[in-house]
Amino acid sequence: MKLKHILYPSLLATSLAFFSACDKDFLELQPRGTELEDNFYKTEEQVYQGLIAVYDVMQWGTSGGYTMKMPLLSVASDEAHAGGSDASDQPTWVRWDNFTIDPFITPSVGLWQKNFSGVYRANLLLSKLEGATGLDPAFSTRVAAEAKALRAYFYFDLMRFFGNVPLITTAIPTSELYSQTQSAPADVYAQIEKDLTEARVALPSTLPTAEKGRLTKGAATAMLGKVILYQNNNARLAEAAGLFNEVNTSGTYQLLQNYGDIFDPANKFHLESILEIPHSNLASWGDWTWVNGGEGNVAPQYVGPDGYNGPTFASGWGFAPISLDLVNAMQGDPRFEHTIIDGNAMRAAGATYNERYQNTNYFIRKYAPLKDYRHTGAGNPELNWPINEIEIRLADTYLLEAEALVRGGGDAGRAKDLLDAVRSRVGLPSVPASIENIYRERQLELATEGHRFFDLIRTGRAAAVLGPLGFQANKHEVLPIPQQEIDITKGTLKQNQGY
């Protein structure tokens, strides 16, 4: 989604732009122009465009450099290496891959700006709704619920990435941007839970086709369960399990019979998808100097084999080559072919590609640049991949409910049924519902989807698994606060421990 930006220095990269929907899915939008804030938010159409501006931030993968969540988190975990042409190609990826990040060379800048931009836009919309008149109450209620859920989404990422952030719930003036201090993590999590709790009761359970991409009750409920589980309060595991159970038994979602269909770009918003971020090539983005520009997904271009010549894929840039650890873990698993591209097998079939930095001859398959979806219109094909990102799907919430039940001493039979359902979908036999088996199933079922790093952090296994890669306990659980944020606030923001 193309936006015209009004950038405030550093702490919150904010912008206002408003769009109207075309006849395609939600968020497949064309620019309509901008209006002054004081003259806006007067009609339902204007408020709706303001809402779209909040959703827009979810699509961003180029804030402060290339910061696409899924491949970047795969690189941070044991799933993939940084890759690229050499160690200087994307130094922030390389630094997170080997845990030599610091406040200056880090993906923190883009992740911080992206998520605070989302928070700012949500706060602005909510503040304008409070004073809006003449709007249908049902419309206002739903928009407010979406804005709160989106604010919670951005704050949950901020907490997982940084751990210590300012809590801002109003549209503050520019003069206050430079005096923000970090809030207690418990207070931020309490606000995230409050937003999701209020939002989920007002969001619809299902959506018509034209609204696909908007948040639902199931998405907000699943997020709330994740937020509670991430805090590792054993006394609340039954609460988390109950939230996941609500999603899993709602009848709204189903496991797809064919695992590969989950990631088929022609199968968007399918029954297994709970939270999906849409991308399209309608904007035909062509500006290589963009800031958060475009509706397309840049990640497929990044992870595809560089210089590929063959029948299936388009040429990519060779980032995030799969680690041999993941290759070995998935040997014999039916999900391997849908998760990992085997370069050796491709070459044996006649395809060619270039071996780049940290090459393993294995590449990410789930979001690979398929030749049939390469953009042929105006703009740069590399920037216009119409491949959606699925952030939460039913197999994820099945396994999270099973985990919460086992860790919390809940219904062991229910936990086993959930684990068995995920495994039987791909023809694997039943195994005991031990916590180790559940963790392993998450590793294999959700590989390269952006879950592994956070799973290792929240379950306390990061030092054991990532220690050989350079991970240090009590430091690398979070990223450093960007140094430019420390500088611009003249020290009111404090750096995270160890940086």
Side-chain angles (χ1 to χ4, degrees), residues 233-248:
N233 182 346
N234 289 338
R236 301 187 69 189
L237 290 173
E239 182 182 358
L243 289 164
F244 294 128
N245 180 266
E246 184 178 330
V247 175
N248 296 338

Side-chain angles (χ1 to χ4, degrees), residues 1-5 7 15 17 19 29 31 56-68 114 121 278-299 380 382-385 389:
M1 183 178 298
K2 184 176 180 181
L3 296 172
K4 182 177 180 180
H5 291 274
L7 295 178
S15 61
F19 304 88
L29 308 169
D56 168 64
V57 183
M58 298 175 77
Q59 295 179 323
W60 293 3
T62 54
S63 302
Y66 292 94
T67 48
M68 304 81 75
K114 169 186 174 178
R121 294 185 184 193
H279 291 278
S280 83
N281 54 24
L282 293 181
S284 293
W285 192 250
D287 185 359
W288 285 99
T289 63
W290 74 93
V291 178
N292 308 322
E295 294 176 29
N297 185 356
V298 184
N380 295 104
E382 298 85 355
L383 305 179
N384 287 285
W385 289 100
E389 304 166 73

Side-chain angles (χ1 to χ4, degrees), residues 77-226:
S77 74
D78 57 340
E79 294 180 329
H81 306 292
S85 61
D86 54 45
S88 65
D89 195 341
Q90 289 295 322
T92 62
W93 288 46
V94 173
R95 288 291 190 96
W96 206 6
D97 182 27
N98 59 27
F99 295 102
T100 58
I101 44 178
D102 61 38
F104 300 92
I105 305 178
T106 169
S108 297
V109 175
L111 297 170
W112 181 277
Q113 289 182 349
K114 169 186 174 178
N115 287 292
F116 269 117
S117 292
V119 168
Y120 173 88
R121 294 185 184 193
N123 286 341
L124 179 61
L125 178 59
L126 286 166
S127 70
K128 296 298 182 180
L129 274 176
E130 290 178 358
T133 59
L135 302 180
D136 178 78
F139 171 84
S140 297
T141 297
R142 181 178 175 187
V143 170
E146 288 175 274
K148 289 177 181 179
L150 287 164
R151 181 169 63 186
Y153 170 89
F154 295 120
Y155 258 122
F156 188 34
D157 267 1
L158 283 166
M159 290 304 295
R160 290 188 292 180
F161 282 125
F162 300 104
N164 297 284
V165 299
L167 177 59
I168 305 170
T169 58
T170 59
I172 61 175
T174 307
S175 60
E176 295 181 18
L177 291 175
Y178 311 109
S179 59
Q180 295 299 310
T181 59
Q182 284 122 319
S183 301
D187 292 341
V188 182
Y189 274 120
Q191 181 64 49
I192 295 172
E193 290 186 36
K194 179 176 184 293
D195 278 344
L196 290 172
T197 298
E198 293 175 359
R200 74 190 196 95
V201 298
L203 291 172
S205 297
T206 59
L207 298 170
T209 299
E211 294 184 1
K212 296 294 187 181
R214 298 180 72 171
L215 290 172
T216 62
K217 178 179 181 180
T221 302
M223 278 196 285
L224 181 57
K226 286 195 168 200

Side-chain angles (χ1 to χ4, degrees), residues 355-436:
E355 294 186 4
R356 304 195 86 194
Y357 179 60
Q358 297 178 307
N359 174 65
T360 62
N361 291 315
Y362 295 97
F363 307 92
I364 292 176
R365 175 64 179 86
K366 289 177 178 176
Y367 295 98
L370 296 170
K371 182 174 291 187
D372 289 346
Y373 291 88
R374 181 175 171 84
H375 184 52
T376 58
N380 295 104
E382 298 85 355
L383 305 179
N384 287 285
W385 289 100
I387 297 176
N388 289 2
E389 304 166 73
I390 302 175
E391 285 230 21
I392 306 176
R393 58 185 176 90
L394 192 61
D396 178 16
T397 56
Y398 269 24
L399 293 172
L400 288 174
E401 182 185 347
E403 176 188 335
L405 289 170
V406 170
R407 288 175 55 193
D411 186 343
R414 168 71 178 168
K416 188 175 188 306
D417 288 343
L418 291 162
L419 178 58
D420 284 349
V422 173
R423 290 176 58 81
S424 64
R425 186 252 297 274
V426 293
L428 292 172
S430 175
V431 295
S434 66
I435 197 62
E436 292 80 10

